[in-house]
Amino acid sequence: MTRMLVSIRNLTLRLPSGGRMLTVLDDVSLDVLAGEALAVAGPSGSGKSTLLGLVAGLDTPTSGTIVVAGAEVTRLGETALARFRRETLGYVFQSYHLIPTLTAAENVAVPLDLAGVSGAPARARELLAGVGLADRGHHYPAQLSGGEQQRVALARAMALDPPLLLADEPTGNLDSATGGAIVELLFALNRDHGTTLLLVTHDDLLAERDGRVAGERRRATLVP
C-alpha cells in the first residue's frame, strides 16, 4: 500500500497587515502520497509559496498541522527542523538561490559537505552530469544562463536524495523552451527515482502535466 508522505490538516496563516489581520492561508487540507507528483495551481499572491515554506518549516502557521514523513513539522524545534530539512526534502526556488562566490560544482557540494558526505566533489560532478551540466561545474552562477542556474539548483536540491522535492515556481524566470526542459527534469526525477514532487505554479499548462492538481482559490483555500 502506498504511504502518505505529506499530510496537511486545517492549515491557517494570518498575518498583521495595515492594522488588520490578513488571511494568507485559510483552513487548507491536502495529502500527498509517496512517489506522487502534485501541482498546487493558482494566481500570483494566492499563498502557494507560503504553503511550501510552511511544509519546509520555514514559517509557523497560525493553526493546523503538517506531517511530513511521519514528522509533525509544526512541533519540531530548531535542531530537529534542521535535521528534518537535511534528511527529508530538497527545495528548488524560482530565483535559484545559488551562492555567487561558489562554482556550480561547489554549490551542489554544499549540502553534501554539511552532511559530512565523503567524496562530495565527485558526487557533485555526478549530479551536474545528471542535469546535463557535466562541463559547467567550474563556472560561477553569473557565467551561467537562467536555465543552467536552475539545473544547478535542482542538482543541489537532489544532492542528498531526499524523498520530497519542493519546487516553487521553478520555471517562473525562464523562457518557455528552457522552462520546458526544467519541467522534464522534474518529472524524470519523479518517474525514475520515485521522488515525491510538490510543485507550485501559476502556469495552468504546467499544472496539468502533474498527476494531480490542487485548485486554489483566492486566499489559498485548496480543493484537492
Side-chain angles (χ1 to χ4, degrees), residues 152-218:
V152 174
L154 180 54
R156 181 182 61 187
M158 293 301 299
L160 296 175
D161 195 23
L164 175 62
L165 181 61
L166 305 177
D168 186 3
E169 298 279 9
T171 64
N173 287 334
L174 305 175
D175 61 70
S176 58
T178 306
I182 294 297
V183 170
E184 291 303 325
L185 276 173
L186 288 168
F187 286 122
L189 288 169
N190 169 248
R191 181 183 64 249
D192 299 336
H193 298 274
T195 305
T196 304
L197 175 62
L198 181 56
L199 167 78
V200 301
T201 180
H202 66 273
D203 186 336
D204 290 338
L205 292 178
L206 174 55
E208 289 171 3
R209 284 289 312 276
D210 269 310
R212 188 158 61 92
V213 179
E216 191 171 341
R217 301 174 185 169
R218 259 335 254 187

Side-chain angles (χ1 to χ4, degrees), residues 14-23:
R14 295 188 176 93
L15 299 172
S17 176
R20 63 186 182 92
M21 295 302 292
L22 174 67
T23 300

Side-chain angles (χ1 to χ4, degrees), residues 8-42:
I8 299 170
R9 288 290 175 270
N10 308 115
L11 194 66
T12 296
L13 178 64
R14 295 188 176 93
L15 299 172
S17 176
R20 63 186 182 92
M21 295 302 292
L22 174 67
T23 300
V24 182
L25 294 170
D26 184 16
D27 197 30
V28 173
S29 293
L30 185 65
D31 290 326
V32 187
L33 297 174
E36 185 176 21
L38 172 64
V40 177

